[in-house]
Amino acid sequence: MATPAEPPATRALSSGAPTTLQALRSPRLLLREALAGLVVALALIPEAIAFSVIAGVDPKVGLFSSFVMAVSIAFLGGRPAMITAATGAVALVIAPVMRDYGFDYFIATVLLAGALQIVLAVLGVAKLMRFIPRSVMVGFVNALALLVFGAQIPELIGVPWAVYPLVAAGILIMVLMPKITRAVPAPLVSVILITAAAVTFAINVPTVGDKGDLPASLPEFFFPSVPLTWETLSIIGPFALGMALVGLMESLLTAKLVDDITDTPSNKTRETWAQGVANMLAGMFGGMGGCAVVGQTMINVKVSGARTRISTFLAGAFLLILILVLGDLVSLIPMAALVAVMIMVSVAAFDWHSIAPSTLRRLPKSETFVMVATVAVVLATHNLAIGVIAGVVVAAVLFVRRVAHVVAVERVPSEGAVTYRVTGELFFASSNDLTTMFDYTGDPARVIVDMTDAHVWDASSVAALDAITTKYARRGTTVELVGMNAATRTLHERLSGGLGVE
């Protein structure tokens, strides 16, 4: 008897990666995506206001930017379910423009940053992601978790004592709720119950409304009034480039993180130009721009279980509805409720396996060092992009140091000649000591250098081989290079004799 075919929505749910169309056809999946978007929208409000303060602009600038970017990236982005909005990293980069030159130059910087991201997408910058080692990614995730947790500390210092039981209650609800049902995201239940308790019992604690006034009108089209001159470009150019690079770094790393969580691939090049378009759209409506928001993405994907673009779109749509229609109610949400959500996000995001004693014993010390270095730089600079770059540099240095010592030279004497068998990868680091491994004074008149088990990668190695040949030639010794593979032979023929080796 044939087994009935599994409904598409059921297959999608079991695989954990439904398409947008499948989610729209399944009430269960659609509800999950919608509730996830609502939780993200609630969490975006205080952060967007806080990032606006960092950038030195009105709170509506960050809120409208988050709305425009979330909605646009839902259609344009290459990574489904990833949340893009105003971020602290971008705010820090472009804050000096607002301070020194004013709002028009500030928006011009956002527009130029978006254009630069589109250019970088055309140049294929997303392909550089393959050069980020796993240890750096683990450091990125752990640093992110620590930053998210650290950002909650100010909300727990110098506050009424009632904040602490509310935060504890919120965490307890999120721990217990999945054991009862997963139909409704635990963070949403937690926010609703904590808010209801605070309002019902008139508990005096800081609320979302204390962070700043919410806007009361829709965003309007805005074009900056700045002179289109080289002087303007020289002012905003460096800040725009910095914003473009920091934004892409965080966005592409977050996309890779979501890829790993959902076991699904994403189009990084599409994500790159989509971030640029989203930033330009945000700037056109007077927004401060941004990039992928790692904390809210973790709420959406890991805590709430969202998997499609629907959740991203609804996060932006709900954000606008909350601030324009339900602004008075949103203002009543205790910050303690959102702090509890973000603490749970940080706990869920941290890679606890990476610091387990069994893992630390098995991993090479260099891998652990790279992870720790990445975390340390991120925490010192409060910038994920700088930490990742530092981690990649440290990993590259350690790799070069390790590979530099794997080249071996074996001397095999024979009648009237001597053969040197070179084994390993020859490049600028490993070839530096190659010239010291030959007995120039003691060898006979014929020397054979066997390159069968070696590969030459750069000009430094060709120069080293030329130096060996030159040293022997001064003593009247003939050197034969044999066994080169095709790539090594081509490089050697092109560069040998033209590198100024004497």
Side-chain angles (χ1 to χ4, degrees), residues 209-278:
D210 296 331
K211 289 291 183 180
D213 295 331
L214 299 179
S217 60
L218 290 169
E220 298 177 354
F221 184 80
F222 180 87
F223 193 81
S225 178
V226 296
L228 301 178
T229 62
W230 282 109
E231 182 182 0
T232 299
L233 186 61
S234 66
I235 291 173
I236 68 174
F239 295 101
L241 181 60
M243 175 181 168
L245 294 176
V246 168
L248 285 184
M249 180 76 73
E250 290 207 26
S251 298
L252 294 178
L253 285 172
T254 304
K256 177 67 169 62
L257 182 59
V258 178
D259 290 352
D260 294 339
I261 292 172
T262 61
D263 292 324
T264 56
S266 62
N267 188 328
K268 305 299 187 301
T269 298
R270 175 176 172 178
E271 186 63 43
T272 301
W273 64 255
Q275 290 284 333
V277 174

Side-chain angles (χ1 to χ4, degrees), residues 410-476:
E410 180 187 5
R411 185 175 185 273
V412 182
S414 59
E415 186 175 349
V418 64
T419 299
Y420 285 91
R421 294 173 181 165
V422 182
T423 303
E425 306 298 315
L426 295 174
F427 64 109
F428 64 90
S430 60
S431 62
N432 282 338
D433 296 331
L434 186 64
T435 57
T436 66
M437 299 179 181
F438 292 79
D439 185 4
Y440 302 102
T441 58
D443 284 341
R446 182 171 175 242
V447 171
I448 301 170
V449 180
D450 188 352
M451 304 285 292
T452 303
D453 297 320
H455 187 98
V456 173
W457 288 99
D458 60 5
S460 296
S461 302
V462 174
L465 293 175
D466 283 356
I468 292 168
T469 303
T470 301
K471 287 177 180 291
Y472 275 117
R474 289 171 180 167
R475 293 170 172 78

Side-chain angles (χ1 to χ4, degrees), residues 118-152:
I118 296 174
V119 172
L120 291 172
V122 173
L123 296 177
V125 71
K127 295 177 182 178
L128 297 176
M129 281 294 295
R130 71 185 68 175
F131 296 107
I132 298 181
R134 179 187 176 278
S135 53
V136 175
M137 277 298 301
V138 172
F140 168 79
V141 171
N142 290 345
L144 156 70
L146 293 174
L147 282 181
V148 170
F149 182 82
Q152 312 316 309

Side-chain angles (χ1 to χ4, degrees), residues 201-411:
F201 298 104
I203 302 174
N204 184 22
V205 292
T207 64
V208 170
D210 296 331
K211 289 291 183 180
D213 295 331
L214 299 179
S217 60
L218 290 169
E220 298 177 354
F221 184 80
F222 180 87
F223 193 81
S225 178
V226 296
L228 301 178
T229 62
W230 282 109
E231 182 182 0
T232 299
L233 186 61
S234 66
I235 291 173
I236 68 174
F239 295 101
L241 181 60
M243 175 181 168
L245 294 176
V246 168
L248 285 184
M249 180 76 73
E250 290 207 26
S251 298
L252 294 178
L253 285 172
T254 304
K256 177 67 169 62
L257 182 59
V258 178
D259 290 352
D260 294 339
I261 292 172
T262 61
D263 292 324
T264 56
S266 62
N267 188 328
K268 305 299 187 301
T269 298
R270 175 176 172 178
E271 186 63 43
T272 301
W273 64 255
Q275 290 284 333
V277 174
N279 271 308
M280 293 189 73
L281 289 173
M284 290 176 185
F285 286 93
M288 60 185 285
C291 61
V293 193
V294 194
Q296 274 65 27
T297 298
M298 290 299 99
I299 292 176
N300 197 45
V301 175
K302 200 164 188 178
V303 179
S304 301
R307 291 293 182 270
T308 74
R309 301 177 187 277
I310 297 174
S311 60
T312 306
F313 171 79
L314 289 179
F318 281 139
L319 176 62
L320 189 65
I321 294 171
L322 288 171
I323 60 179
L324 294 183
V325 181
L326 303 174
D328 292 338
L329 289 177
V330 171
S331 297
L332 298 177
I333 297 175
M335 285 303 300
L338 298 177
V339 167
V341 171
M342 299 311 293
I343 288 176
M344 289 300 292
V345 168
S346 65
V347 171
F350 195 90
D351 188 348
W352 297 99
H353 177 72
S354 67
I355 61 172
S358 57
T359 303
L360 295 175
R361 283 194 298 268
R362 287 197 308 269
L363 274 181
K365 288 183 174 56
S366 59
E367 298 276 333
T368 302
F369 181 77
V370 169
M371 186 266 287
V372 172
T374 303
V375 172
V377 174
V378 169
L379 295 181
T381 62
H382 287 262
N383 191 311
L384 289 165
I386 293 177
V388 169
I389 292 172
V392 171
V393 171
V394 172
V397 170
L398 292 177
F399 173 77
V400 168
R401 182 174 177 272
R402 186 166 62 250
V403 174
H405 300 289
V406 298
V407 172
V409 176
E410 180 187 5
R411 185 175 185 273

